[in-house]
Amino acid sequence: MAYPPLVNPPAPRELLYEGKAKQVFATDDPRQVVVRFKDDATAFNAEKRGTVAGKGEVNNAVTALLYGELEDFGVPTHFLELLGPRDQLVERVRIVPVEVIVRNRTAGTFAKRYGVEEGLPLDPNVIEFCLKSDALQDPPMNAATAVALGHATEEELEELFDLAASVNDYLVARFAVAGLDLVDFKLEFGVDADGRMVLADEISPDTCRLWDAETGEKLDKDRFRRDLGGVEEAYQEVRRRLEATVGADLDLPDFDADDHDHEHHHEESADA
Ligand code: TMP
Ligand code: ASP
């Protein structure tokens, strides 16, 4: 992918924060930060550690591609600009400490928790909230708990739920044209300087379960978690398939009159 030269490319200044898979740098603009994607990989709340060569570049490219498309679909995101192979410029936000997990099929901790096999379709799909805390292993949390403990307001949770549902509608169709079955994924949101709730963090093979639509082969971080081998190749393959299907017609669900939220998001983006 080519990076068009910016007139005044924002330079990363001091390191503000380092997480498991990304670093966040200040820029000269207090409203913007640079996110740098690392090759470091962790799983099971950092009990398992390693590196995946090229992962930072794949996750940066995949996140930039999907966030640009989600903006066009009407989902507000923190993404501003791709700066380089590992770097992207994003809005500085206050991260809401609530992780939102969307599940279209059983897998992972869900399959374990409820004693069911992996891969069963979930109808309706399941949206879960977890507390963002490695120390506590991201415990699942219902809405009352999140509100009572002051992690989010009721209105914010409703917004997270609606945005996550819209993201899922788009991503299921988007990955499908790339021959990938979106099993589940995790989202994080932040509040920007204008008080807007926006999609933050990343969407990548680190944060999604993606199965080949034909063969069921796992093309995501489960290859690392479960020592399946071919981790680097799987990440590259996801990137390749997404880039090869940019602009393809998507089979998006029909939105009926009840689906105010989806329409609302489109109206907002049309007004912007
Ligand atoms: P789980 O089955 O481990 O609960 O994970 C569900 C989905 O969310 C899976 O695609 C991995 C993703 N996920 C993250 O990206 N980060 C996390 O901290 C957790 C708990 C899940
Ligand atoms: N991202 C989390 C960790 O690093 C959980 C996971 O992906 O398994 O531990």
Side-chain angles (χ1 to χ4, degrees):
M1 192 182 287
Y3 303 100
L6 299 174
V7 182
N8 280 313
R13 305 293 184 195
E14 85 269 23
L15 180 66
L16 295 175
Y17 170 81
E18 176 145 13
K20 290 175 290 183
K22 298 188 285 298
Q23 295 172 316
V24 179
F25 296 91
T27 67
D28 293 333
D29 185 334
R31 291 161 308 172
Q32 301 180 347
V33 292
V34 172
V35 174
R36 179 165 296 162
F37 288 73
K38 306 193 287 185
D39 287 348
D40 298 347
T42 65
F44 312 114
N45 302 298
E47 269 172 42
K48 180 182 173 87
R49 287 173 184 277
T51 58
V52 177
K55 177 171 86 74
E57 292 196 15
V58 169
N59 289 358
N60 183 37
V62 166
T63 296
L65 184 153
L66 293 176
Y67 279 37
E69 293 186 10
L70 282 165
E71 286 274 357
D72 292 343
F73 183 63
V75 174
T77 80
H78 72 161
F79 177 75
L80 296 170
E81 200 120 35
L82 202 47
L83 295 178
R86 285 175 183 278
D87 291 0
Q88 56 182 248
L89 186 69
V90 307
E91 265 192 292
R92 189 173 198 162
V93 298
R94 171 181 64 79
I95 292 284
V96 178
V98 178
E99 297 189 354
V100 185
I101 293 178
V102 182
R103 302 182 187 274
N104 296 305
R105 288 183 186 276
T106 58
T109 59
F110 185 92
K112 213 171 189 178
R113 190 187 311 147
Y114 298 112
V116 294
E117 63 181 288
E118 293 200 310
L120 306 174
L122 288 167
D123 185 12
N125 55 33
V126 174
I127 300 187
E128 297 174 352
F129 296 131
C130 296
L131 177 62
K132 182 174 162 68
S133 166
D134 275 342
L136 300 172
Q137 301 180 343
D138 296 345
M141 175 170 69
N142 66 17
T145 305
V147 173
L149 295 180
H151 297 306
T153 65
E154 226 164 283
E155 294 71 35
E156 284 174 335
L157 292 180
E158 240 173 73
E159 215 176 347
L160 297 190
F161 189 94
D162 292 341
L163 287 169
S166 293
V167 171
N168 190 48
D169 285 340
Y170 185 80
L171 289 185
V172 165
R174 182 62 182 88
F175 281 116
V177 295
L180 295 164
D181 189 356
L182 177 61
V183 172
D184 60 25
F185 59 98
K186 184 262 307 181
L187 300 175
E188 294 184 29
F189 293 87
V191 180
D192 73 7
D194 301 323
R196 262 192 341 158
M197 184 68 76
V198 299
L199 182 60
D201 195 53
E202 67 179 287
I203 297 178
S204 71
D206 264 8
T207 62
C208 300
R209 286 195 172 91
L210 298 164
W211 296 356
D212 182 279
E214 300 270 303
T215 65
E217 188 191 0
K218 295 182 192 341
L219 294 169
D220 57 58
K221 194 171 160 190
D222 270 346
R223 302 206 72 84
F224 170 77
R225 292 191 190 95
R226 303 178 187 189
D227 296 321
L228 299 175
V231 189
E232 291 151 35
E233 294 77 3
Y235 278 70
Q236 301 293 347
E237 178 66 8
V238 169
R239 177 182 183 175
R240 191 192 65 74
R241 289 192 194 190
L242 284 173
E243 289 179 350
T245 48
V246 167
D249 278 341
L250 303 188
D251 185 15
L252 289 163
D254 288 329
F255 296 101
D256 53 37
D258 302 338
D259 203 339
H260 301 297
D261 298 305
H262 179 78
E263 288 174 3
H264 181 63
H265 295 147
H266 274 289
E267 280 162 19
E268 276 184 349
S269 70
D271 289 343

